[in-house]
Amino acid sequence: MTTYDGTDSGKVALITGASRGIGYGIAEALVARGDRVCITGRNEDTLKEAVERLGSDRVIAVAGKAHDEEHQRVAVDRVMEAFGRVDFLVNNAGTNPVFGPLADLDLGVARKVFETNVISALGFAQRTWHAWQKDNGGAIVNIASIAGVSASPFIGAYGMSKAAMVNLTLQLAHEMAPGVRVNAIAPAVVKTKFAQALYEGREAEAAAAYPLGRLGLPSDIGGAAAFLTSDQSEWVTGQTLVVDGGIFLNAGVG
């Protein structure tokens, strides 16, 4: 983990679903390079603990449900009040409450998945656009998944929502150019509580399928998000960066 060295980048990021896991890893990376950050999440206590670890002098938190439009408004307003700007938005909040075939999926559950994973991302993007980015520029990073760019048996609703995130990235990149760059990251399995069911009790077996020999870490996605919100990526927009430990290299093998 890279630690904050005292440099102030002058930039501000809003990261949804960042009290732990991938979102927290992204927050770590952006704080380390000198950004000020607002993190969101559902659990206030978990958010407080995250702020303490990240540094309460540079990080604030707003608790709420990502799909709640009032929460979206409050979060963006709070960033603007605290820091006066919001250069970067990272849409990481997501849910995957069901495991099974799409043919038997409750449509109410499908709607919930899309509300949390896709509609909330659009809502946050609209608000950061009007609050700051429309007139001042910036970047948006949407956290998609390799489930959104390939078949994803038994987590089909999640995969569908992440495919929608990839297309949302394209649409926003087109509409918000040239001032705002919009890209996505599509991770494979990352070692988080969210993905625990995919590797718990069989991590070595799961990791063996990856050419790079291990599952992902939140810091892997943090590094990718740091790049996509940096000047080094200023000619990159509308792209989905697959961060998968090489797992796609095995497609069709066997």
Side-chain angles (χ1 to χ4, degrees):
M1 181 186 73
T2 305
T3 56
Y4 176 55
D5 65 2
T7 303
D8 191 332
S9 69
K11 299 297 178 66
V12 173
L14 170 59
I15 308 172
T16 69
S19 63
R20 64 189 184 195
I22 286 175
Y24 183 85
I26 294 171
E28 276 190 317
L30 300 196
V31 168
R33 74 178 185 192
D35 291 5
R36 297 183 185 274
V37 173
C38 174
I39 59 174
T40 76
R42 297 183 64 169
N43 188 294
E44 192 161 353
D45 290 338
T46 306
L47 281 171
K48 287 180 180 178
E49 292 171 4
V51 168
E52 289 175 5
R53 292 196 304 273
L54 291 166
S56 58
D57 58 328
R58 307 197 61 77
V59 181
I60 63 172
V62 180
K65 298 178 180 178
H67 66 276
D68 182 346
E69 292 185 37
E70 178 62 13
H71 166 64
Q72 296 166 16
R73 182 192 67 77
V74 169
V76 174
D77 286 352
R78 180 76 180 93
V79 175
M80 294 301 294
E81 290 166 4
F83 302 130
R85 59 193 297 154
V86 54
D87 302 277
F88 311 128
L89 168 66
V90 180
N91 281 311
N92 174 68
T95 187
N96 183 28
V98 64
F99 184 83
L102 284 175
D104 299 321
L105 179 66
D106 182 289
L107 295 183
V109 173
R111 292 186 186 97
K112 178 181 178 181
V113 170
F114 270 75
E115 280 284 342
T116 300
N117 294 3
V118 185
I119 305 303
S120 71
L122 174 58
F124 272 107
Q126 290 176 336
R127 292 185 181 278
T128 56
W129 168 258
H130 288 292
W132 176 262
Q133 293 180 330
K134 180 179 180 181
D135 296 324
N136 301 281
I140 296 173
V141 177
N142 295 320
I143 304 303
S145 168
I146 62 166
V149 293
S150 64
S152 46
F154 302 107
I155 54 169
Y158 178 76
M160 289 164 56
S161 73
K162 293 303 184 176
M165 283 287 275
V166 170
N167 192 262
L168 175 64
T169 299
L170 294 171
Q171 303 299 336
L172 292 179
H174 187 271
E175 290 186 17
M176 293 182 173
V180 177
R181 298 181 299 102
V182 187
N183 293 287
I185 300 172
V189 176
V190 176
K191 290 177 63 176
T192 64
K193 185 175 181 179
F194 181 83
Q196 205 165 15
L198 299 176
Y199 66 86
E200 189 173 27
R202 50 181 293 274
E203 183 178 336
E205 178 186 350
Y210 288 76
L212 292 186
R214 66 172 175 85
L215 302 181
L217 300 173
S219 58
D220 294 318
I221 313 307
F227 167 69
L228 290 173
T229 53
S230 73
D231 291 344
Q232 284 70 43
S233 64
E234 63 181 8
W235 209 45
V236 179
T237 195
Q239 301 303 305
T240 295
L241 175 61
V242 174
V243 182
D244 71 342
I247 192 69
F248 271 1
L249 296 174
N250 293 336
V253 176

